[in-house]
Structures are given as C-alpha cells and as structure tokens.
Amino acid sequence: MTAIKHALQRDIFTPNDERLLSIVNVCKAGKKKRNCFLCATVTTERPVQVNVVKVKKSDKGDFYKRQTAWALRDLAVVDAKDAVKESPEFDLHFDKVYKWVASSTVEKNTFISCIWKLNQRYLRKKIDFINVSSQLLEESVPSGENQSVTGGDEEAVDEYQELNAREEQDIEIMMEGCEYAIANAEAFAEKLSRELQVLDGANIQSIMASEKQVNILMKLLDEALKEVDQIELKLSSYEEMLQSVKEQMDQISESNHLIHLSNTNNVKLLSEIEFLVNHMDLAKGHIKALQEGDLTSSRGIEACTNAADALLQCMNVALRPGHDMLHAVKQQQQRFSDLREQFARRLASHLNSVFVQQGHDQSSTLAQHSAELTLPNHHPFHRDLLRYAKLMEWLKNTDYGKYEGLTKNYMDYLSRLYEREIKDFFEVAKIKMTGTTREGKKFATLPRKESAVKQETESLHGSSGKLTGSTSSLNKLSVQSSGNRRSQSSSLLDMGNMSASDLDVADRTKFDKIFEQVLSELEPLCLAEQDFISKFFKLQQHQSTSGTTTNEVEEMDGVALSRSHTSGVPQTVSSEKDMIRQMMTKIFRCIEPELNNLIALGDKIDSFNSLYMLVKMSHHVWTAQNVDPASFLSTTLGNVLVTVKRNFDKCISNQMKQMDEVKISKKSKVGILPFVAEFEEFAALAESIFKNAERRGDLDKAYIKLIRAVFDSVEKVANESQKTPRDVVMMENFHHIFATLSRLKISCLEAEKKEAKQKYTDHLQSYVIYSLGQPLEKLNHFFEGVEARVAQGIREEEVSYQLAFNKQELRKVIKEYPGKEVKKGLDNLYKKVDKHLCEEENLLQVVWHSMQDEFIRQYKHFEGLIARCYPGSGITMEFTIQDILDYCSSIAQSH
C-alpha cells in the first residue's frame, strides 16, 4: 500500500499541487468487484481545498488515472454502518449516496478518522458521522501506514514533515546498537520504553533531591525576615529620638523668624521715609528734556530717555496709606502727570512722522531691486528706530493707548510697503522661472513690471540684500542651518543626468536655485522684522515672566491686540507672543498667498518640481521650528508645506493613474514597459533630491505606493499580452525592477526588491520549463513506465525482464533521438526564444543557459535510470552531455 500511495502522490496529485493524506482500497457494494482507491487530499496552496478523489487503475497499463473528485464541503454524511461490530462497508453521502466496501476494516477506520480530522480543521464540524465509534473520532487510529498522516493533532493533517538527515542518522545509530531492531520491532520498542522509564526515574530523583535545597533556602529567608524585624525596631527608636530634636529646632526657627520680621519691618520703614525725602523731586534738566528735548539726534534721544525713566520712577513711588493726603505730594503727582502727557503726545507724533518718512525712503530704493531676485534691506530703517526702543517701553508702561496707536500705524505703513516689495519680488521669481524653461511661452501672459521685463534675461544674483545685523533670532538661524543648507543645496545642484519629463536637468536645477533663493530671501527678512518688533515694541519672545492682570482684546483691522486694564502693567509672555505673531501676520499677509501661487506655477511647469519644493520647504520649516516653533515664519512655512505635500501626493497619484491606463500594442513585442522605465527615472531623481532630507518618510511612503502599482500593472499587462508570453513579460520587467532597486539601494524597498527577484526567478524557470517541454518525449514516456514498475515493487535490476521495457525496446527508443535531431530541435527552440525576448534587457543568454541546464538535468536522469535498471548492458544515449554543451554553444554563436 505504501508503494501505491507514493506512486499516486507522484503521478496524480503532485502535478495538481495536492498532497495525499489517506487512502483506502474499495469496491462498490453489490457489484462486480472492480477495485479502486478513495483518496483524501488537500491542496498545497492557500486557501486550502480538501477533496475526496476516486482513482482507478488503467485497463491498458500499470498506471493510475483520476476518475472522479468530490469537494469535502459537499459531503453531508459519513455512515460507518455499525459502531460496535467491525464491518468493511461504509457510505458517503455527496449529491447521492455512494456505497463502498473497503479491503479491510483497518483501512476503513483510518480513512474515516482522516475525514473526521479534516472536517474538524477546515469545515468546522459540518459533516455528520453516524454509526461511527466515538473512540475512533476522539483518538488517532494507530494503523501502520497511515498513522503519520491521520494520527496526532490538527497540524499533522495540515503539514507533513519528513525526517531530516540528522534525525535519520540518529535513528540508524540507535537501530545498529540493537541486533533485533528490525527483526523484532516489538522487542525493540519495549527496550526503548524501558530506557525511557529509567530516564523518567532519574528525572524524578533529581526533582526529589532538589527539595532539600529548597528547604534550606526557605530557612535562610525566615532568618532574613527576623533580621529585618530587628532593624525596623531600631529605626523606630531612632525616629522617636529625632522627633524631640525636631520640636526643639521648630521653636528656634520660630524665634529667629520673629527677630527677622522685626528687622525687616524697620528696614522697610526707613526705606519708605528715605524715598519720600530723596525721590519725589525731578531734576530741572530732566524737565527741560521732556518739554523741549531733541528727538532726532542720538544725544537728545538719550537725554529724553533718561528723563522719561526718572519721571517714571517718581510717578511709581509706592506711597503708604495717608501719604497721598499730603498737599505737596498731590501737587508733585499732578505735575508729573502733566509732564507725562505732554511728552507722550510729542513722542507719538514724532514716531508717526518717522514711520511715514522711512516708508517713503524705502519705496525709493525699490527700482534697483525690481529686476533682481533680492529683497530690499530694512536694516538701516530698523537700526534708526531701535534708538527709540527704551522710549517705546516707557510709553507702553505709562500710556498704553498711544503705544497701541503707534503699533497700529506701524503695521499699516509697513504692511503696504512689504506688500509692494514682496509682490515685485515674486513677480521677478515667476518671470525667471518661466523664462528659464521650455514652457515659458505658455506663461508669457503673466503680468510683470516694466523694469522687470527689461532685465528678465539677466543672470540670477546672489542674495546681496540679506540682513547682516546681529539680531538673536538671525544668529540662531545661521548657526543651525548654514551647514545643512549648503550641503543639501549642493547635492540638489549636482544631480546626474536624471530626467523624468521633457525638461532638461539644467532647467530643473535652475528652478531649484530660484525656489531656494526665494525662501532664503524671505526667511531672514521675516526673522529680522520679528526680532525688530520684539525689541522695538518690547514684546517678550523667549524669557519667562508671569503676569496676574486680566487682559481684554481689541480688534484693529482684523489683528487682535491685547490691552491691559491697568496702564503700565506688563502682559504675560503668551499674550505678547501672540501679539508678535498677529503683527507679523498683518505685516506679511501677502507672503503665504504669493508662495502658494509660486508653488502652483512650479507644479504647472513640471509636476516633478514638487519633489524639489518638498525638500526645500521641509528643510526651511525644520530650521524655522528649531528657532521658534510658534513663530510667524514657522507657522506660514508649515501651512505652505501642506500645499507642497498635496502637490507631491498628486504627482504620485497621477503616475499611478497613468500606470492603470497604459495600453500595449498587440502586434509587437512588449519588452520593458514604459511605466517600469519611468519608475526607474523617478526613483533615481528622487534619491538625488531627497539625499539627507528631513522628509524622507514621505518619499518612502510614495515608493511603497508606486512599487505596488508597478507590480500590479506589470502583472495586468502580462495577463493581457497576446504577442509576448506572460512569463517573458513578467521575467523581463521584474528583472529590470530588481536591477533598478539593487543599483539605487532604497532601504524601504528591500522586501519589494526580494519579491521582484523571486518573481523574476520563478517566471524564468516557468518559461524555461514551458518552452523546453520534453525534448525527448518518447524516451521520457518509456522511463516513466520504468519508474512506475519500480514504484509497484519490481526491483530496478529486474525491470529489463519486462516485455515492454526490455533492452531491445530501450535501444529502439534511443535510436529515434540521434544527435542531429537533437541539435535541430534546440536550434528551433533558440529561434523561438530569441523571437520572444527583447534586446533592451539582454536576457537571451541567461534564458538559453537555463534551458541548457534543464536539458542536461533530464539527460542525467535518463542516464541514471539506464545505469540502475539495465546494468552491464552497455546501452547509452547517442549523444553525450558534451555534445549538448557543444550544440548549445554552437547555436548561441551562430545567432
């Protein structure tokens, strides 16, 4: 039965990717006894399909053929006829009732047990078993040949594991040590059982011996617990001693506190008296500076600042209750209030004039920057205004209404000035972008200033207008980003000859330079203005102070400004940071729309520009967040980065859509598919752009989406191909994908690289086997019959005595395959393969070499059978392996 089982597995089930689990020799009840076999099989691929197959022996030869197959899920009832008395009869209820008589009750029970286990594992008890012993359903049937399949747990049914070489060697050594291991298996098994009992006894003795050690350990633990109790008692006594010391120290501390409080009160009293005597008088020079001081010269500004500080100190004297009732104090306070109001009005008027004048002076310099990709330098303007920073702080603390009015006027003047400068700046950037690409004609209708049009063809200048002031934010930015930005920009500009569209690499790198220069100009401009606002308007950016006053919010042209109920009380840090951000938002309200328009233009020129923009924008956002995550620049660039990321995702989606819509010619070879080559170009370009980039994760996600789409589209095209075989399309394209991934070394696509290599290898082997077929077909059929006889139990050296397989028959078959015919068949095969394969991938010699190896393998298999089954006959093939190698080499060279 074992030989039959192996023969069925090899000849019938292995070609169909099935595994034979159990077999029973049966005949139909009540009819002429024509034996056949019922086989329980499962497929080797998932999802697993379980079948019951009827196999019968052919009438014309000694081979078996598959007659009928039923799916196990269609089996409704298994009837064993009698659960008590052993009977070889049983029924299977499929679409109708099939009555069978097994050759033995052991085979019947083994088969029913296997069906029960398959039902438990795959069908979840859908089959009814009647008249079957419960013991048979609960335990494995220990019958000899089928025990390895049906006995054991569920996993034994699902997957059969053969003994490995080490296990076989150990069993052979064990059996060689016992003389009767084969002759008397029961005695050998009994000997092994006795040895197992001895080992179990030794294990029990070892466990019992360790009990003494456990008792010793428990005794040591008890002693340790006693020691812990003694330590706790000592600690308690020490705690009581320290408690009395604590009480004494508390009394001493309270006495010291009373003495200190008395001294403090005396000092405060003396301080207040000295303050009233010495600090309620304002010098005549300060009064004159407040009334008539020059606010245009540095010396005059310094005198006014000192006078204002002295006035503020006099006004902020903390009077005790009753001091404000003094007539002299009331007169002095009124005089101070009049001076404060007069100077605050004079200061606000002067600064408003400075704002207007500076705005006009700055506008006059716009003409020289209009044709260059640079922004005007505001450092001189900031430097002049910072002389008034201390006076602005004084105004903020003494008259918040005028301070707020100055803030509003500054935002109004500067927002209009910056809007003109930034729009002209972006206009030049757009002109240079469209003027440096081949698609410039498409955007020729863009509005541009007359002065910019005249100098459109000028080369890009460096950022000569960058701020050089020593502001704190600017220093932090330059320290943190100079090295990274330099290395990143150089890597982008030094790309190879990558190209994923009609544009030249030079056009893309020029776009990259323009976009980088735009960001590099905007970044210091915003940081310098923010730093100036913080210093000039005395708004906290980084220091932590606390405030307890309640603030109310006023709306000025859509920008919220905090105002304290009590004049002169500082705001909290969070509200002042919000105020900086709100002022920056109003002053630079045009930056975000202009950036979005520029990004839209770059994406329209070339969708791959989104890769450059994503890397550049991500780097600048990362740099800005390192300086101040909540700053206006960080927030604005972050919002623009979202737009860039959407364009990048859209670019990826468009590529995937193009893959779905690809069409191939039905009259020509497929070769390397266009989207496979485009993915190679995209990956090479992206790797050069995203080298050391902060947003590498976005590219990795895009890679995963694209490669999966490429895999699916290749398989789709291969299935639809009519001119080129499916295996050739899959083999060539997956070889190209594997070569691309190996060259670029993309870490996130390691799994896909292995998958591409596996698909290439599988389809290469499949194509080789399909194209080669069985070149020695009659000889192959002859030796299949020889192997079938051997499988039935005939010894190999006795096969030559079979009439159909004697030496004369073998010589007759071998003569039909002389070397000339073999070479002719191989030459036709080479022409067929050459017709299928494309020249781009150059896989012809690889495929031909694989076919040569497969042919030699078949040849060696036949030679081995001749040597084993026809020993000493001197029969050999009419050609040798060397002849095969010569044929293949000659054919390859001739073509």
Side-chain angles (χ1 to χ4, degrees):
M1 184 63 74
T2 302
I4 295 175
K5 179 181 174 183
H6 284 293
L8 293 177
Q9 176 67 58
R10 183 189 65 248
D11 298 338
I12 295 178
F13 298 114
T14 297
N16 293 327
D17 294 330
E18 292 180 294
R19 186 152 48 85
L20 177 60
L21 298 182
S22 184
I23 182 174
V24 58
N25 189 355
V26 298
C27 63
K28 290 187 177 181
K31 293 186 177 182
K32 182 179 180 182
K33 293 187 177 294
R34 297 184 61 184
N35 288 353
C36 58
F37 297 98
L38 288 181
C39 305
T41 66
V42 295
T43 59
T44 57
E45 297 181 353
R46 295 187 182 277
V48 176
Q49 301 293 328
V50 187
N51 299 314
V52 177
V53 182
K54 177 182 175 184
V55 178
K56 64 179 291 185
K57 193 172 183 180
S58 175
D59 297 334
K60 298 180 180 180
D62 292 337
F63 60 91
Y64 299 92
K65 65 180 181 179
R66 187 184 186 122
Q67 189 173 21
T68 310
W70 301 274
L72 190 64
R73 63 174 178 272
D74 297 334
L75 179 61
V77 179
V78 176
D79 187 358
K81 295 300 185 181
D82 196 331
V84 179
K85 183 179 178 182
E86 293 187 353
S87 171
E89 298 182 1
F90 66 97
D91 297 346
L92 300 180
H93 295 235
F94 287 102
D95 51 344
K96 65 180 183 178
V97 179
Y98 292 89
K99 298 181 179 293
W100 305 99
V101 178
S103 61
S104 68
T105 56
V106 174
E107 289 186 11
K108 164 193 164 183
N109 291 339
T110 301
F111 185 76
I112 292 177
S113 176
C114 181
I115 295 296
W116 180 78
K117 291 177 185 295
L118 293 172
N119 174 50
Q120 295 288 319
R121 177 156 182 84
Y122 297 107
L123 302 183
R124 299 186 179 179
K125 306 180 182 179
K126 291 183 179 180
I127 303 174
D128 293 333
F129 290 82
I130 59 177
N131 298 323
V132 180
S133 171
S134 59
Q135 182 180 4
L136 179 63
L137 297 181
E138 293 175 357
E139 301 177 0
S140 300
V141 179
S143 61
E145 61 196 28
N146 289 325
Q147 184 175 0
S148 63
V149 175
T150 60
D153 55 10
E154 295 178 0
E155 293 183 359
V157 177
D158 184 44
E159 185 174 357
Y160 171 72
Q161 296 183 350
E162 296 183 358
L163 293 177
N164 57 37
R166 177 68 179 274
E167 292 170 341
E168 290 181 358
Q169 185 178 359
D170 292 342
I171 291 176
E172 289 177 359
I173 294 173
M174 186 184 301
M175 295 177 68
E176 288 175 359
C178 182
E179 298 178 354
Y180 50 84
I182 299 177
N184 192 345
E186 292 182 357
F188 181 57
E190 184 177 354
K191 177 187 175 185
L192 294 178
S193 176
R194 286 197 303 271
E195 292 178 355
L196 181 61
Q197 291 175 359
V198 171
L199 292 175
D200 287 340
N203 287 337
I204 294 172
Q205 290 295 330
S206 176
I207 294 171
M208 293 176 66
S210 64
E211 182 178 1
K212 181 178 179 182
Q213 298 296 328
V214 172
N215 292 333
I216 294 173
L217 178 61
M218 295 300 293
K219 184 177 179 181
L220 291 174
L221 290 175
D222 292 338
E223 292 176 356
L225 289 174
K226 291 178 181 179
E227 290 293 332
V228 170
D229 293 337
Q230 292 178 3
I231 292 173
E232 287 182 351
L233 290 174
K234 289 183 180 181
L235 290 176
S236 298
S237 64
Y238 294 157
E239 186 177 1
E240 293 175 358
M241 296 176 186
L242 290 174
Q243 185 64 32
S244 62
V245 175
K246 179 179 178 298
E247 293 174 357
Q248 296 174 6
M249 293 301 296
D250 288 342
Q251 293 175 0
I252 296 172
S253 176
E254 185 177 357
S255 176
N256 289 338
H257 177 69
L258 293 175
I259 296 172
H260 178 70
L261 184 61
S262 177
N263 291 336
T264 303
N265 289 336
N266 291 332
V267 171
K268 287 184 177 179
L269 178 59
L270 179 61
S271 175
E272 289 182 4
I273 293 173
E274 289 178 347
F275 187 81
L276 286 175
V277 173
N278 299 322
H279 296 87
M280 286 294 289
D281 186 27
L282 188 63
K284 292 182 180 179
H286 291 333
I287 295 174
K288 184 178 180 180
L290 291 173
Q291 293 175 341
E292 304 174 1
D294 184 9
L295 290 174
T296 58
S297 65
S298 298
R299 181 174 296 182
I301 293 172
E302 184 179 359
C304 291
T305 302
N306 294 334
D309 290 340
L311 176 62
L312 185 60
Q313 290 178 7
C314 292
M315 294 184 67
N316 290 339
V317 172
L319 299 178
R320 291 189 62 184
H323 286 180
D324 56 351
M325 301 297 291
L326 297 174
H327 183 68
V329 172
K330 288 183 178 180
Q331 282 185 340
Q332 196 73 345
Q333 288 179 337
Q334 182 61 40
R335 186 181 183 189
F336 292 157
S337 297
D338 293 341
L339 284 172
R340 180 191 64 184
E341 182 65 26
Q342 181 183 358
F343 181 69
R345 189 165 51 250
R346 194 162 69 91
L347 178 63
S349 175
H350 176 74
L351 287 177
N352 278 327
S353 300
V354 172
F355 294 160
V356 174
Q357 182 63 33
Q358 290 285 2
H360 288 312
D361 294 344
Q362 195 74 19
S363 298
S364 64
T365 64
L366 284 178
Q368 65 182 2
H369 295 277
S370 59
E372 301 176 3
L373 199 57
T374 57
L375 284 167
N377 192 348
H378 287 249
H379 176 63
F381 176 41
H382 292 163
R383 181 189 59 212
D384 293 342
L385 282 179
L386 281 176
R387 299 183 299 169
Y388 301 96
K390 291 185 178 180
L391 290 176
M392 283 298 296
E393 183 179 15
W394 176 86
L395 191 62
K396 177 182 178 182
N397 294 329
T398 57
D399 194 338
Y400 197 84
K402 289 185 173 57
Y403 169 83
E404 199 171 42
L406 281 174
T407 304
K408 179 179 180 299
N409 290 338
Y410 179 82
M411 288 190 295
D412 290 341
Y413 291 134
L414 266 294
S415 62
R416 290 194 291 268
L417 175 62
Y418 275 121
E419 185 170 2
R420 290 195 302 272
E421 293 178 356
I422 291 172
K423 284 188 175 180
D424 289 343
F425 173 72
F426 275 96
E427 191 63 33
V428 174
K430 292 175 183 177
I431 290 172
K432 289 185 179 294
M433 278 186 182
T434 56
T436 55
T437 63
R438 296 177 184 174
E439 298 190 35
K441 295 180 182 179
K442 193 182 300 182
F443 308 99
T445 58
L446 285 171
R448 57 185 72 178
K449 287 199 164 220
E450 193 175 322
S451 58
V453 173
K454 292 179 181 179
Q455 305 198 22
E456 178 182 349
T457 57
E458 292 183 4
S459 61
L460 289 174
H461 294 282
S463 182
S464 60
K466 287 187 178 179
L467 295 172
T468 57
S470 58
T471 59
S472 58
S473 299
L474 221 51
N475 287 336
K476 289 182 179 180
L477 176 69
S478 62
V479 170
Q480 293 180 3
S481 65
S482 60
N484 291 338
R485 186 182 303 161
R486 191 180 304 112
S487 62
Q488 192 172 27
S489 298
S490 63
S491 67
L492 294 182
L493 298 177
D494 293 337
M495 295 187 324
N497 54 351
M498 307 294 176
S499 177
S501 68
D502 296 336
L503 299 175
D504 295 328
V505 173
D507 293 336
R508 284 212 185 98
T509 53
K510 180 112 2 150
F511 170 84
D512 178 49
K513 285 179 63 178
I514 296 172
F515 192 73
E516 168 63 20
Q517 189 163 0
V518 169
L519 296 179
S520 299
E521 290 289 325
L522 290 176
E523 195 172 69
L525 181 73
C526 293
L527 288 176
E529 184 63 35
Q530 178 173 312
D531 199 71
F532 168 75
I533 288 174
S534 172
K535 290 181 177 180
F536 182 71
F537 292 99
K538 292 302 178 182
L539 300 174
Q540 299 289 339
Q541 286 193 93
H542 309 291
Q543 297 165 353
S544 177
T545 60
S546 60
T548 58
T549 58
T550 304
N551 298 332
E552 61 183 17
V553 177
E554 289 187 359
E555 291 290 333
M556 298 192 316
D557 297 338
V559 180
L561 296 175
S562 300
R563 182 173 183 177
S564 175
H565 284 295
T566 305
S567 177
V569 180
Q571 299 169 315
T572 61
V573 174
S574 60
S575 63
E576 291 188 348
K577 283 187 175 181
D578 291 340
M579 187 172 179
I580 293 176
R581 189 161 51 250
Q582 290 160 4
M583 291 178 68
M584 291 289 293
T585 300
K586 180 171 182 180
I587 292 173
F588 293 107
R589 59 192 171 193
C590 64
I591 284 185
E592 186 170 339
E594 289 294 334
L595 271 175
N596 286 331
N597 292 338
L598 188 68
I599 289 167
L601 175 61
D603 191 58
K604 190 173 182 180
I605 293 173
D606 182 4
S607 61
F608 277 19
N609 283 335
S610 61
L611 276 71
Y612 293 93
M613 291 188 287
L614 181 62
V615 172
K616 290 296 185 185
M617 189 61 68
S618 300
H619 178 69
H620 283 271
V621 169
W622 176 81
T623 305
Q625 288 181 345
N626 282 345
V627 176
D628 184 2
S631 67
F632 163 79
L633 180 65
S634 177
T635 304
T636 302
L637 293 182
N639 294 338
V640 176
L641 179 60
V642 173
T643 303
V644 175
K645 179 61 168 60
R646 287 174 182 164
N647 289 346
F648 174 75
D649 294 339
K650 182 181 177 182
C651 175
I652 300 302
S653 300
N654 288 339
Q655 291 190 59
M656 296 171 64
K657 184 178 179 181
Q658 292 173 4
M659 294 180 195
D660 293 336
E661 297 173 353
V662 68
K663 300 295 182 181
I664 61 171
S665 173
K666 296 181 179 180
K667 298 182 179 180
S668 59
K669 290 191 290 188
V670 175
I672 302 302
L673 295 168
F675 55 80
V676 174
E678 289 170 2
F679 173 77
E680 178 185 11
E681 295 173 357
F682 170 81
L685 178 64
E687 284 301 303
S688 64
I689 294 174
F690 279 79
K691 187 177 182 181
N692 301 324
E694 289 83 6
R695 296 297 291 260
R696 177 72 196 193
D698 294 326
L699 180 63
D700 290 344
K701 293 177 183 177
Y703 274 149
I704 297 298
K705 292 180 181 178
L706 281 177
I707 198 67
R708 296 317 312 177
V710 170
F711 280 16
D712 295 341
S713 299
V714 168
E715 193 157 351
K716 174 186 172 185
V717 171
N719 292 334
E720 297 174 354
S721 173
Q722 298 180 3
K723 180 73 174 178
T724 307
R726 178 179 183 275
D727 286 327
V728 173
V729 177
M730 297 286 284
M731 172 184 64
E732 290 182 328
N733 283 278
F734 278 107
H735 177 268
H736 193 86
I737 293 171
F738 171 71
T740 298
L741 297 180
S742 299
R743 175 172 57 84
L744 296 178
K745 298 179 180 178
I746 303 173
S747 58
C748 68
L749 297 182
E750 280 298 318
E752 284 73 13
K753 182 179 77 173
K754 294 178 181 177
E755 182 180 351
K757 182 179 181 182
Q758 185 62 42
K759 287 181 178 290
Y760 156 68
T761 305
D762 292 345
H763 288 284
L764 170 61
Q765 187 64 25
S766 175
Y767 177 67
V768 166
I769 294 175
Y770 168 78
S771 300
L772 185 63
Q774 294 179 348
L776 310 178
E777 186 175 1
K778 293 183 180 180
L779 193 62
N780 192 74
H781 287 317
F782 180 86
F783 281 112
E784 283 180 354
V786 171
E787 290 174 338
R789 292 292 188 276
V790 173
Q792 292 173 2
I794 299 175
R795 296 174 63 183
E796 291 181 339
E797 56 271 18
E798 296 178 356
V799 171
S800 60
Y801 298 107
Q802 298 288 317
L803 183 61
F805 301 101
N806 57 28
K807 298 176 183 178
Q808 288 75 16
E809 291 293 327
L810 175 60
R811 289 191 179 94
K812 184 188 301 183
V813 173
I814 288 176
K815 286 183 179 179
E816 295 186 16
Y817 295 100
K820 183 178 179 182
E821 289 296 322
V822 172
K823 183 176 181 181
K824 181 180 178 181
L826 289 175
D827 187 64
N828 292 333
L829 178 61
Y830 187 92
K831 293 177 181 178
K832 176 183 175 183
V833 173
D834 187 25
K835 185 178 179 182
H836 286 162
L837 298 179
C838 69
E839 297 180 358
E840 305 169 47
E841 208 59 17
N842 196 23
L843 288 177
L844 177 59
Q845 295 305 319
V846 176
V847 174
W848 185 242
H849 186 72
S850 298
M851 288 185 171
Q852 171 185 297
D853 292 343
E854 176 64 20
F855 190 23
I856 291 175
R857 187 194 63 78
Q858 292 185 17
Y859 179 90
K860 290 181 178 179
H861 178 64
F862 296 152
E863 287 286 339
L865 287 175
I866 293 173
R868 293 194 304 272
C869 299
Y870 302 91
S873 63
I875 300 175
T876 59
M877 307 285 281
E878 294 195 1
F879 57 93
T880 63
I881 292 178
Q882 185 60 43
D883 293 335
I884 296 175
L885 294 174
D886 293 341
Y887 297 158
C888 292
S889 176
S890 174
I891 291 170
Q893 292 176 2
S894 64
H895 291 277

